[in-house]
Amino acid sequence: MTFDELIPAPNTVRAVPEAGDFVLDGATVVDAGPGTEGAARWLRGTLGAATGLPLEAGSGEDGTTIRLRVRSDEARELGPEGYRLHADADGVTVHGGGAAGVFRGVQTLRQLLGPDAFRRAPVAAGRRWAVPGTFVEDAPRFRWRGLMLDVARHFLPKDDVLRYLDLMAAHKLNVFHFHLTDDQGWRVEIKRSPRLTEVGAWRSRTKWGHRASDRWDENPHGGHYTQDDIREIVAYAAERHISVVPEIDIPGHSQAAIAAYPELGNTDVVDTTALSVWDDWGINPNVLAPTDAVLRFYEGVFEEILDLFPATVSPFVHIGGDECLKDQWKVSPTAQARIEELGLADEDELQSWFIRHFDSWLRARGRRLIGWDEILEGGLADGAAVSSWRGYAGGIAAARAGHDVVMCPEQQVYLDHRQAPGEDEPMPIGYVRTLEDVYRFEPVPPELAGTPEAAHVLGTQANVWTEVMQDRSRVDYQTFPRLAAFAEVAWSALPAPADRDVADFERRMSAHYRRLDALGVGYRPPGGPLPWQKRPGVLGRPIEGAPPNV
């Protein structure tokens, strides 16, 4: 593997041939300075497994050395996730601005060692592991480089979630948005409310394809993570310097919770005891009732969530807030009485009251609320942040109002959208978003570029909604290789979209496909889906034409 095949592209990388080759062998030791113990553990567990080498701790008198150090000068110059990597005949030195920077640097070292370094066991006895003399200096463009994984629509077992954390780490992504609840399933154990998983984690059948499809998978579907599963996932993410943003949807997207506890719904409008976990897709009319009892119930839920997701790993808690239909509130005497009691103008302000309550509740416990851009409607508390998904407009408005923003417009970085035109794309949804399209995505819109408000753009996130992704292979197909392009957009200092060197990125992707192969990722091949990746005859919802910038 050569120094110029790295993804995401570093700020600076150059060959230093006069320095000689670093050769990793049985005598190589890891000299881990204070704060780098986690990176050293990862090296031994991951590179040690791939190479079959012990990579023992040591100072390097008798062989080549991998030196890991946190350095204050790197912190000042490059920030906590920045690093410098030097490879020469004596070994490799990774200096990071913080422990996260050292960890990002060892991800680069893994790429420099070649695709077989991404395997779980050696594949060639006695092979030579070498890195030519190389210098890399690197730091991320954005502090929020996220992936949202929806496990509510289709459940992914714990090991698949851990695998995606590894894939994120390999691409230098650092925020895992964990979409845990929706109308179609509740995925996290809440001990004080056991029916949330006993009832809410399972649906009797599932729509096969788009909601307009007449086909069904008649097998029951579901599953959930125990609290110890969640603790394991959070600890695994933290070891990889990935923060976790749990999402518990309120007040919409809540039918699974209402099916478990009917009193949470608008009982004066519908017979909530007749509701089951939803087996269809789309926007659901059954939303939470705006009552004190519902607030207390969800405060109890969030108390357990905060315990499972400690502030050091999860400073943000996502409350959804999107696609909350107000029809039931409009005819609910209870909701209308609450509007009158609070002196609110309408149902939008009632939702704002609901969101503000939990913003204050979370803030009092040292957390920050983040929600989809609908939470702007009716007014938003000062400290809340916004995930701008319906386009750029919500993020622009939020930034101009002083709110922090994560840009994730559906028209650009919803990875459930199809990757090519034509009938071979499985269950085609939305706009065509090719690898090149994602590579040309720009998180900071022109309306904010160069303005003080641009500082409110924390970063960007790709979202993987799983209505038509029933298992890991479908998630892989939709997510990769586009996540590699997105990772470079989020990390690297790229030129304007029109000026980006797509040909060079595709050249580097030819090496990266071999890494993905070694990792067992079922990505979409450049030539189109393989026979077993197709879903002929299953209805999707393709949208023609170029997506609007809204």
Side-chain angles (χ1 to χ4, degrees):
M1 191 62 57
T2 63
F3 72 94
D4 63 345
E5 292 178 333
L6 298 172
I7 288 178
N11 292 342
T12 300
V13 58
R14 61 176 180 267
V16 189
E18 65 274 16
D21 291 355
F22 160 62
V23 178
L24 190 73
D25 58 26
T28 302
V29 296
V30 179
D31 180 3
T36 70
E37 296 85 359
R41 278 193 301 274
W42 183 90
L43 271 170
R44 292 190 187 96
T46 305
L47 288 185
T51 62
L53 300 174
L55 302 180
E56 295 175 349
S59 57
E61 289 91 349
D62 300 321
T64 55
T65 305
I66 300 173
R67 300 176 187 85
L68 308 177
R69 295 288 187 273
V70 173
R71 294 270 296 266
S72 58
D73 52 343
E74 268 79 6
R76 287 191 299 270
E77 295 175 37
L78 300 175
E81 289 190 274
Y83 67 91
R84 291 188 175 97
L85 181 152
H86 301 258
D88 58 30
D90 293 328
V92 171
T93 300
V94 179
H95 289 168
V102 174
F103 186 80
R104 308 297 175 223
V106 298
Q107 302 306 310
T108 297
L109 172 61
R110 187 191 197 186
Q111 290 198 19
L112 290 169
L113 285 166
D116 285 346
F118 288 78
R119 298 190 179 275
R120 295 186 182 183
V123 295
R127 69 155 290 174
R128 184 174 186 266
W129 297 93
V131 175
T134 304
F135 171 74
V136 180
E137 181 177 284
D138 205 7
R141 178 185 179 192
F142 291 110
R143 69 189 239 205
W144 186 302
R145 306 180 306 281
L147 174 69
M148 191 286 302
L149 185 60
D150 167 23
V151 297
R153 270 54 176 271
H154 277 102
F155 178 70
L156 283 176
K158 179 194 68 178
D159 284 353
D160 289 345
V161 175
L162 299 178
R163 174 177 176 266
Y164 260 82
L165 291 170
D166 280 331
L167 291 170
M168 289 178 64
H171 292 84
K172 297 186 173 71
L173 298 173
N174 70 340
V175 179
F176 178 54
H177 179 164
F178 204 8
H179 185 79
L180 287 164
T181 74
D182 217 297
D183 299 302
Q184 296 86 0
W186 185 286
R187 305 296 178 215
V188 55
E189 177 188 24
I190 302 298
K191 291 187 180 295
R192 73 187 67 191
S193 304
R195 287 177 58 83
L196 287 172
T197 47
E198 291 171 358
V199 174
W202 293 91
R203 59 179 182 263
S204 61
R205 64 176 188 169
T206 299
K207 176 70 74 170
W208 185 240
H210 183 253
R211 60 181 175 270
S213 168
D214 61 358
R215 300 175 66 176
W216 296 88
D217 178 347
E218 297 291 349
N219 294 306
H221 177 84
H224 75 276
Y225 310 104
T226 68
Q227 293 203 349
D228 281 345
D229 290 338
I230 294 290
R231 292 187 179 97
E232 180 183 355
I233 289 167
V234 169
Y236 199 84
E239 186 83 352
R240 286 148 184 76
H241 300 278
I242 295 171
S243 62
V244 183
V245 180
E247 180 175 351
I248 305 295
D249 267 300
I250 55 173
H253 287 290
S254 296
Q255 182 160 319
I258 297 168
Y261 292 95
E263 64 271 21
L264 297 175
N266 295 285
T267 58
D268 55 350
V269 177
V270 295
D271 178 10
T272 56
T273 63
L275 296 177
S276 58
V277 177
W278 207 25
D279 57 14
D280 208 343
W281 314 126
I283 302 177
N284 189 298
N286 294 297
V287 303
L288 298 174
T291 65
D292 291 340
V294 170
L295 297 181
R296 301 292 88 77
F297 181 93
Y298 273 86
E299 286 171 0
V301 168
F302 281 117
E303 282 178 3
E304 295 193 31
I305 291 295
L306 296 192
D307 179 63
L308 296 172
F309 296 87
T312 52
V313 182
S314 301
F316 285 89
V317 175
H318 208 291
I319 51 73
D322 61 312
E323 297 179 330
C324 178
L325 296 181
K326 313 295 195 305
D327 297 346
Q328 290 182 359
W329 287 354
K330 289 177 181 177
V331 296
S332 162
T334 301
Q336 293 303 309
R338 178 54 47 110
I339 289 173
E340 183 176 356
E341 171 197 342
L342 297 171
L344 304 177
D346 54 23
E347 290 76 22
D348 283 343
E349 288 196 4
L350 183 60
Q351 177 170 338
S352 176
W353 163 82
F354 209 111
I355 300 301
R356 284 173 181 268
H357 173 85
F358 284 100
D359 177 79
S360 300
W361 191 92
L362 289 166
R363 194 161 10 99
R365 289 155 180 81
R367 307 301 179 94
R368 290 188 65 188
L369 180 145
I370 185 168
W372 303 111
D373 54 56
E374 286 97 329
I375 67 173
L376 289 163
E377 297 164 4
L380 184 59
D382 290 342
V386 171
S387 301
S388 187
W389 77 273
R390 290 181 293 180
Y392 290 105
I396 293 168
R400 286 174 173 168
H403 296 285
D404 287 338
V405 177
V406 176
M407 287 293 188
C408 49
E410 64 167 330
Q411 302 86 353
Q412 313 297 331
V413 287
Y414 268 34
L415 300 186
D416 49 312
H417 283 212
R418 58 197 173 126
Q419 301 180 67
E423 296 181 356
D424 284 344
E425 290 306 306
M427 301 187 194
I429 299 296
Y431 295 101
V432 171
R433 293 286 84 194
T434 66
L435 185 67
E436 178 178 345
D437 290 331
V438 174
Y439 192 66
R440 294 192 189 278
F441 165 62
E442 173 50 47
V444 179
E447 295 89 336
L448 295 180
T451 70
E453 290 83 4
H456 283 295
V457 180
L458 300 178
T460 184
Q461 181 171 290
N463 293 340
V464 179
W465 299 103
T466 62
E467 287 95 334
V468 296
M469 301 180 216
Q470 72 277 15
D471 55 29
R472 187 178 89 174
S473 66
R474 284 286 292 121
V475 174
D476 277 6
Y477 179 90
Q478 292 298 133
T479 304
F480 287 97
R482 293 183 294 180
L483 192 68
F486 174 81
E488 184 150 313
V489 167
W491 176 278
S492 305
L494 297 177
D499 299 327
R500 292 178 187 171
D501 192 342
V502 175
D504 180 69
F505 175 73
E506 290 178 340
R507 177 189 64 80
R508 288 181 287 119
M509 276 302 301
S510 66
H512 200 66
Y513 284 121
R514 299 198 297 276
R515 299 178 191 126
L516 296 178
D517 287 335
L519 287 166
V521 176
Y523 57 85
R524 180 189 188 276
L530 299 169
W532 56 86
Q533 293 173 321
K534 301 175 184 179
R535 299 292 185 273
V538 181
L539 187 67
R541 185 182 61 92
I543 304 175
E544 301 304 327
N549 283 319
V550 293

